[in-house]
């Protein structure tokens, strides 16, 4: 979400280790400010961040256009529910890409306009009393982090029901109920994001002071630990539930394909649609697991160590891990639309035809080469006999 505006921090995303423990806290604090000043000094030209943000917006808009066209074709079919959920996922990714990214880019501009004397303190902000923009950015991080994972879980559960119990799916799943489920998903994510406003946890600026998240590295309290456990627990549970549902759907489709004896055009079309949707869901699930698991695990580890007082010697390491985690989480919003775009049935058919054509071409070339060798050997034998 905010990694796009942090790509100029590659050279300083992990702070160099502090001097040995015999150094005084004043020296350590001075070195932290020096490193922070070096990091913030590179924020004057966020060109790569703006370019990445533009590309992410473009990818999500293209995916939304494709989904809208597909939804108009399958409006009265079982695939309409899946397309509605997928469109909501891409729209959420788009909003989660634009809103936090715009806030971080605004933070760049505010810093470049500030004076050099108080640039470090202004850029870092007050960790105990963050401003309204930090609170809003932290809430966006949690909200737009949970929504795609909840939606991916809902899509996997819907397809699992549609594959294993098609009659029950046709009776229970309707467009109205799907829209109601979407509203409940967004409401649940919003309630979790608003927990700090009810004194459960807090948002604060995170190194390199360009993004805000749950207070997990410095000054972690019991409420912060509970908050990060709720956030990470819900997110990891969604990933685990999606994995179970997609596994059941995959095994059901494979077993149905093995048992199928007589081909039927309608059943074959429905089966290919189910296969396409499950393949897309598996792609979305794998992408979410790879992109989100590091941030969820690092946040839990950081909060636990910080609360127990064992993070002092490893604070720099966990700061770097948190930056790496949020960068990977941001990639999820860029990759999600590509998962749907590339794993569509039309694209897979083209890839299959190209692969089959090349394989047949290689086979024909190999057979032609064998024929030439055999012809040469036959002609050689005939010439020897003539001699």
């Amino acid at each position: 979400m905010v990694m796009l505006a942090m790509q100029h921090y590659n050279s300083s995303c992990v702070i160099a280790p502090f001097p040995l423990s015999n150094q005084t806290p004043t020296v350590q604090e001075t070195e932290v400010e020096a490193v922070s000043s070096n990091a913030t000094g590179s924020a004057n030209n966020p060109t790569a961040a703006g370019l990445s943000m533009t590309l992410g917006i473009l990818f999500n808009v293209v995916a939304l256009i494709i989904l809208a066209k597909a939804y108009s074709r399958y409006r009265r079919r079982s695939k309409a529910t899946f397309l509605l959920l997928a469109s909501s996922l891409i729209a959420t990714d788009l909003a989660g890409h634009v809103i936090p990214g715009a806030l971080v880019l605004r933070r760049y501009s505010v810093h470049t306009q500030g004076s050099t004397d108080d640039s470090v303190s202004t850029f870092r902000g007050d960790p105990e009393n963050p401003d309204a923009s930090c609170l809003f950015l932290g809430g966006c991080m949690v909200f737009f982090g949970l929504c795609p994972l909840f939606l991916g879980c809902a899509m996997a559960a819907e397809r699992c029901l549609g594959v294993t119990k098609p009659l029950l799916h046709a009776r229970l799943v309707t467009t109205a109920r799907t829209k109601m489920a979407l509203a409940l998903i967004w409401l649940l994510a919003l309630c979790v994001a608003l927990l700090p406003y009810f004194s459960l946890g807090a948002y604060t600026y995170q190194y390199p002071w360009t993004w805000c998240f749950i207070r997990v590295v410095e000054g972690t309290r019991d409420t912060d630990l509970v908050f990060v456990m709720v956030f990470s627990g819900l997110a990891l549970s969604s990933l685990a539930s999606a994995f179970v549902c997609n596994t059941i759907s995959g095994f059901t489709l494979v077993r149905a394909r093995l048992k199928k004896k007589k081909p039927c055009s309608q059943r074959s079309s429905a089966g290919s649609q189910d296969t396409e949707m499950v393949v897309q869901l598996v792609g979305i699930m794998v992408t979410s697991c790879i992109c989100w698991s590091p941030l969820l695990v690092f946040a839990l580890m950081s909060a636990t160590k910080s609360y127990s007082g064992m993070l002092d010697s490893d604070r720099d390491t966990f700061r770097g891990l948190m930056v790496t985690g949020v960068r990977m989480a941001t990639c999820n919003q860029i990759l999600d639309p590509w998962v749907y775009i590339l794993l569509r049935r039309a694209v897979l058919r083209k890839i299959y035809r190209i692969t089959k054509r090349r394989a047949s071409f290689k086979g024909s070339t190999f057979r032609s080469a064998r024929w030439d060798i055999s012809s040469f050997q036959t002609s050689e034998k005939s010439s020897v006999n003539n001699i």
Side-chain angles (χ1 to χ4, degrees), residues 54 68 78 85 106 109 115 124 130 160 248-249 256 261 282 285 290 298 310 313 330-331 374 381 384:
T54 303
S78 60
L85 291 171
R106 177 182 176 275
S109 62
S115 61
R124 289 187 57 170
C160 183
I248 295 174
S249 301
K261 296 181 180 180
V282 171
M285 179 195 68
I290 295 174
F298 295 158
M310 298 187 301
S313 58
T330 306
C331 294
S374 61
K381 289 180 181 180
V384 170

Side-chain angles (χ1 to χ4, degrees), residues 11 82 94 152 168 197 220 230 287 323 329 334:
S11 60
F82 175 83
L94 178 60
L168 182 62
Y197 293 91
T220 305
V230 170
T287 303
V323 172
I334 302 176

Side-chain angles (χ1 to χ4, degrees), residues 14 46 63 97 137 169 178 204 265 335:
V14 180
H97 197 74
L137 181 57
H169 176 274
T178 302
T204 185
S265 59
L335 295 177

Side-chain angles (χ1 to χ4, degrees), residues 306-377:
S306 178
Y307 179 70
S308 59
M310 298 187 301
L311 193 65
D312 293 337
S313 58
D314 298 329
R315 181 170 284 110
D316 307 325
T317 302
F318 277 93
R319 280 176 174 172
L321 291 176
M322 289 295 292
V323 172
T324 302
V326 75
R327 285 176 175 173
M328 295 184 65
T330 306
C331 294
N332 183 67
Q333 297 166 331
I334 302 176
L335 295 177
D336 268 349
W338 277 108
V339 170
Y340 180 79
I341 292 172
L342 295 179
L343 296 183
R344 288 180 299 136
R345 187 168 40 172
V347 177
L348 294 177
R349 280 177 178 175
K350 290 181 180 179
I351 295 175
Y352 173 75
R353 289 172 182 172
I354 293 173
T355 306
K356 186 177 180 181
R357 192 180 308 160
R358 290 184 177 180
S360 61
F361 176 75
K362 290 181 179 179
S364 61
T365 304
F366 178 71
R367 287 192 298 269
S368 177
R370 288 183 59 189
W371 183 83
D372 291 339
I373 294 173
S374 61
S375 301
F376 173 76
Q377 291 175 349

Side-chain angles (χ1 to χ4, degrees), residues 194-202 223:
L194 293 178
L195 286 179
Y197 293 91
F198 298 95
S199 301
L200 183 59
T223 54

Side-chain angles (χ1 to χ4, degrees), residues 46-59:
T47 305
L51 180 61
S52 300
M53 185 176 174
T54 303
L55 291 177
I57 294 173
L58 178 62
F59 298 155

Side-chain angles (χ1 to χ4, degrees), residues 208-357:
W209 328 124
T210 57
W211 61 294
C212 291
F213 194 58
I214 307 171
R215 186 168 50 195
V216 295
V217 178
E218 295 179 286
T220 305
R221 303 169 184 171
D222 51 355
T223 54
D224 300 318
L225 184 60
V226 172
F227 185 25
V228 74
M229 290 178 65
V230 170
F231 171 72
S232 299
L234 289 173
L236 292 174
S237 299
S238 299
L239 291 174
S241 301
F243 175 79
V244 172
C245 293
N246 289 329
T247 302
I248 295 174
S249 301
F251 279 127
T252 303
L253 289 175
V254 171
R255 186 174 58 184
R257 180 61 62 94
L258 293 176
K259 288 183 178 180
K260 188 172 65 175
K261 296 181 180 180
K262 295 181 180 179
C264 177
S265 59
Q266 293 182 352
R267 291 181 181 178
S268 177
S269 176
S272 62
Q273 289 182 9
D274 289 335
T275 303
E276 177 191 17
M277 289 184 282
V278 171
V279 168
Q280 291 172 350
L281 286 175
V282 171
I284 292 174
M285 179 195 68
V286 171
T287 303
S288 299
C289 287
I290 295 174
C291 294
W292 273 102
S293 295
L295 179 62
L296 301 175
V297 174
F298 295 158
L300 275 175
M301 293 173 60
S302 301
T304 304
K305 284 182 171 292
S306 178
Y307 179 70
S308 59
M310 298 187 301
L311 193 65
D312 293 337
S313 58
D314 298 329
R315 181 170 284 110
D316 307 325
T317 302
F318 277 93
R319 280 176 174 172
L321 291 176
M322 289 295 292
V323 172
T324 302
V326 75
R327 285 176 175 173
M328 295 184 65
T330 306
C331 294
N332 183 67
Q333 297 166 331
I334 302 176
L335 295 177
D336 268 349
W338 277 108
V339 170
Y340 180 79
I341 292 172
L342 295 179
L343 296 183
R344 288 180 299 136
R345 187 168 40 172
V347 177
L348 294 177
R349 280 177 178 175
K350 290 181 180 179
I351 295 175
Y352 173 75
R353 289 172 182 172
I354 293 173
T355 306
K356 186 177 180 181
R357 192 180 308 160

